[in-house]
Each structure stands twice: as C-alpha cells, then as structure tokens.
Amino acid sequence: MAKKCMVERERKRRKLAARYAKKRESLKKIIENPESSVEERFEAQLKLQQIPRNASPVRQRNRCAISGRPRGYYRKFGLARNQLRAAALKGEIPGLTFSSW
C-alpha cells in the first residue's frame, strides 16, 4: 500500500491539471502559432509560467486504483500487476484468463 500522502498528492495534481487545462491550451496555441507576434508569444510564455507547476499533466503519475502502487501499472485495467493478478484469480475481470502449460 502506498503512502496516503502520495496518493493525495496525485489526486491534487489531477484536480489542478483539470482546473488549468483550458488556460494552458489557449496559451500553448498562442505560443505555437507562427502568425502571432513576438510580444504576444512572450506574454503568453510569462502567463504560462505563472500557472502552478503541478497543473501540468506531465507531472502526474499513474497509480493503482486499489493499492496506490506507482510501479507495475496496467493502463487497460487501472491496476498494479499484483492487484491485477489477485483480481484475475478471483474472476473479477471479465475476459481475462491465465494460461497454463
């Protein structure tokens, strides 16, 4: 089980990223637009730097929905490898079967 503070930190980052998503997108469009002037780009870059660092979606880390484990995460299921195995053995994941030979 991951520390509760780490899981809460990730939740906080997700909320911040969602709150500032539209603002980031509009500023990025201004910066990437070749038709915008140098002054407009510079102002957009300054405003982008004013946004909190944790509002960037790049700073988010995928974590298991059950245990909060950051490593061994499967995107398709939203679980870490050990929780995925336990759920598959119980038959809680439809369509997932173990192979044996």
Side-chain angles (χ1 to χ4, degrees):
M1 184 77 186
K3 290 183 179 180
K4 289 184 181 180
C5 63
M6 299 302 285
V7 175
E8 288 300 318
R9 186 182 298 169
E10 291 299 323
R11 187 173 294 136
K12 186 178 175 182
R13 283 180 179 161
R14 266 190 240 111
K15 283 173 57 176
L16 262 176
R19 187 186 321 160
Y20 288 101
K22 290 181 182 177
K23 188 173 184 179
R24 282 183 68 84
E25 178 111 17
S26 64
L27 291 172
K28 290 264 191 181
K29 282 183 181 180
I30 293 170
I31 293 168
E32 293 171 0
N33 187 5
E35 296 177 2
S36 60
S37 67
V38 177
E39 292 83 18
E40 288 176 340
R41 284 186 191 165
F42 186 70
E43 286 180 28
Q45 285 177 346
L46 289 177
K47 287 180 183 177
L48 190 62
Q49 289 174 359
Q50 298 295 320
I51 294 175
R53 183 176 287 175
N54 283 334
S56 175
V58 174
R59 291 179 62 92
Q60 295 175 14
R61 178 90 168 135
N62 291 330
R63 289 189 173 267
C64 175
I66 298 171
S67 65
R69 181 181 167 89
R71 307 272 177 107
Y73 177 82
Y74 285 85
R75 285 184 186 180
K76 185 174 181 179
F77 304 103
L79 299 173
R81 59 180 174 78
N82 47 6
Q83 296 297 325
L84 177 66
R85 180 175 171 80
L89 285 172
K90 292 178 187 174
E92 295 174 353
I93 302 175
L96 188 67
T97 57
F98 277 105
S99 63
S100 61
W101 59 92

